[in-house]
Amino acid sequence: MEGQSLVEVLVAVAIGTLMIAAAIAALVPALTVNTRANEHQVTSALVKELLEDVKVTARIDWNILSELQKGSAAPYYIDTSTSPFAVTAGTEGVTVSGRAYERSFYLETVDRDAQGFIIPPDIYSSSLFPDPSTLRMTITASAAASGAERSLVQYLTRFGNRVAVQTNWFGGPEDSGAYG
């Protein structure tokens, strides 16, 4: 009887070990999927945040964006630590929950055909017209550790620029009116 109890204990330990190993084998991929999903959410949020920052910059002063170098070899990011925001050359490093991410955007000029439709940048035709009031922007964010990347292409248009601001109908060096 004593030997039989020892065998039962050994069998129970072996079965328990197999169950623990199976649980770990199932848990590791689930954690990997969870990490990837989290990186996907964070990179999407970083892209959306940079999109809004660029839109604000375009609304404040279109010329800031229109005068930047164009193309994927010229990445930029928005430095929000200054007021007003500053467009800075390079890629921004961001840390979220202890994980490192990078994000940037680049701009491309936009051409239109005779009907006013935007033509993709990889199509060339001599009958295209440059549109100085529209820019094609590509925003990219990536997780530094895994390389998981999200990109978004958006068109920016110039609208509502302030050309002149008139505060009153009076004023000037010779005015002695109510506001002078």
Side-chain angles (χ1 to χ4, degrees):
M1 276 310 230
E2 291 177 20
Q4 186 177 3
S5 295
L6 182 60
V7 171
E8 289 174 355
V9 168
L10 289 175
V11 170
V13 168
I15 291 173
T17 303
L18 287 174
M19 291 179 70
I20 290 172
I24 290 173
L27 197 61
V28 169
L31 292 175
T32 302
V33 168
N34 188 31
T35 301
R36 295 289 174 142
N38 187 38
E39 287 177 346
H40 179 77
Q41 285 180 327
V42 171
T43 54
S44 294
L46 290 173
V47 164
K48 288 178 184 178
E49 182 181 41
L50 185 54
L51 171 64
E52 292 304 316
D53 292 344
V54 174
K55 284 181 177 181
V56 167
T57 303
R59 277 187 229 126
I60 291 171
D61 188 355
W62 176 261
N63 292 326
I64 291 173
L65 297 179
S66 69
E67 294 171 359
L68 294 176
Q69 184 178 351
K70 307 300 184 280
S72 60
Y76 297 95
Y77 67 93
I78 303 293
D79 183 1
T80 58
S81 67
T82 63
S83 181
F85 293 170
V87 177
T88 306
T91 301
E92 179 183 24
V94 180
T95 302
V96 178
S97 299
R99 294 189 184 271
Y101 296 87
E102 295 180 340
R103 67 178 173 182
S104 64
F105 71 94
Y106 65 89
L107 301 170
E108 296 174 289
T109 58
V110 172
D111 292 326
R112 294 185 182 264
D113 63 11
Q115 288 80 31
F117 294 109
I118 293 176
I119 304 302
D122 56 344
I123 297 176
Y124 175 77
S125 171
S126 60
S127 62
L128 297 179
F129 306 99
D131 182 356
S133 294
T134 306
L135 291 171
R136 183 177 193 256
M137 173 180 57
T138 302
I139 300 175
T140 305
S142 62
S146 69
E149 185 175 285
R150 299 287 295 163
S151 293
L152 173 71
V153 175
Q154 186 87 24
Y155 287 90
L156 299 170
T157 57
R158 172 174 42 187
F159 66 95
N161 283 356
R162 294 179 359 182
V163 176
V165 177
Q166 183 164 349
T167 58
N168 61 45
W169 292 100
F170 302 101
E174 276 85 47
D175 186 28
S176 60
Y179 296 104

